[in-house]
Amino acid sequence: MSDDLVAITKVRCRSLGGLRSELTVKDHDPLVSDEPTDFAVGALVGTDTGWTPVQYQLAGLIACANVAVALTAQDQGFHLDGLEIRAQSDIDLRGLLDGDPERQPQFLHVGVEYRIDTPESPERSEEHTSELQSLTYLVCRLLLEKK
């Protein structure tokens, strides 16, 4: 693979105590990650002061999907007036919450929904949406793979 096709991404995470952390990328404003107040593991309890790590994962997934939509639309000469992407996941937290060392938390399902505003014909819009779902499936598969 050509070196100019390899992207290197660096993100820093600094613990703020408990389940809270501060995430930074380059010189952008930091983001806070936390768990909700009903999330407790032993003495650690979330304080609900930021997005959960799973919410960041889903946001990253649909942000990538947004880039894929833009690139695919440009490549196909598909006109977009607007786009909204929503994601929802089901995650099995056994192992993390029950202490079973044989289990690892894993996504059971990740669903992605596209809402596209376009002057294109319904047939062309359906074709484009179908291709986007295939691209998203490839990315979701990485999240769903059992390690």
Side-chain angles (χ1 to χ4, degrees):
M1 178 182 290
S2 173
D3 284 346
D4 60 342
L5 298 178
V6 176
I8 297 172
T9 303
K10 295 180 181 180
V11 178
R12 184 177 64 119
C13 176
R14 183 175 63 89
S15 176
L16 298 175
L19 302 174
R20 293 181 69 223
S21 60
E22 178 184 80
L23 309 167
T24 53
V25 176
K26 298 191 287 187
D27 59 352
H28 297 289
D29 290 339
L31 302 172
V32 172
S33 178
D34 198 0
E35 293 290 347
T37 55
D38 61 351
F39 186 91
V41 180
L44 297 174
V45 179
T47 58
D48 202 21
T49 59
W51 291 18
T52 69
V54 171
Q55 290 167 333
Y56 278 114
Q57 286 181 299
L58 288 177
L61 170 69
I62 61 178
C64 286
N66 182 68
V67 171
V69 169
L71 295 174
T72 303
Q74 176 182 274
D75 185 54
Q76 295 179 354
F78 188 91
H79 183 79
L80 284 174
D81 286 337
L83 172 66
E84 181 178 322
I85 307 171
R86 296 178 181 204
Q88 178 177 325
S89 71
D90 301 324
I91 188 168
D92 182 351
L93 295 174
R94 291 177 292 181
L96 176 66
L97 299 182
D98 66 9
D100 183 348
E102 300 298 314
R103 292 182 170 267
Q104 293 292 319
Q106 62 182 318
F107 286 98
L108 302 174
H109 171 78
V110 176
V112 179
E113 176 188 346
Y114 295 90
R115 294 181 180 187
I116 297 173
D117 183 17
T118 180
E120 301 283 352
S121 71
E123 295 80 18
R124 188 144 192 254
S125 183
E126 179 61 36
E127 179 182 306
H128 188 71
T129 301
S130 178
E131 184 172 334
L132 296 175
Q133 288 169 337
S134 295
L135 286 170
T136 304
Y137 169 76
L138 294 173
V139 176
C140 286
R141 194 175 72 194
L142 296 173
L143 291 175
L144 295 171
E145 279 183 357
K146 293 181 181 176
K147 307 289 185 224

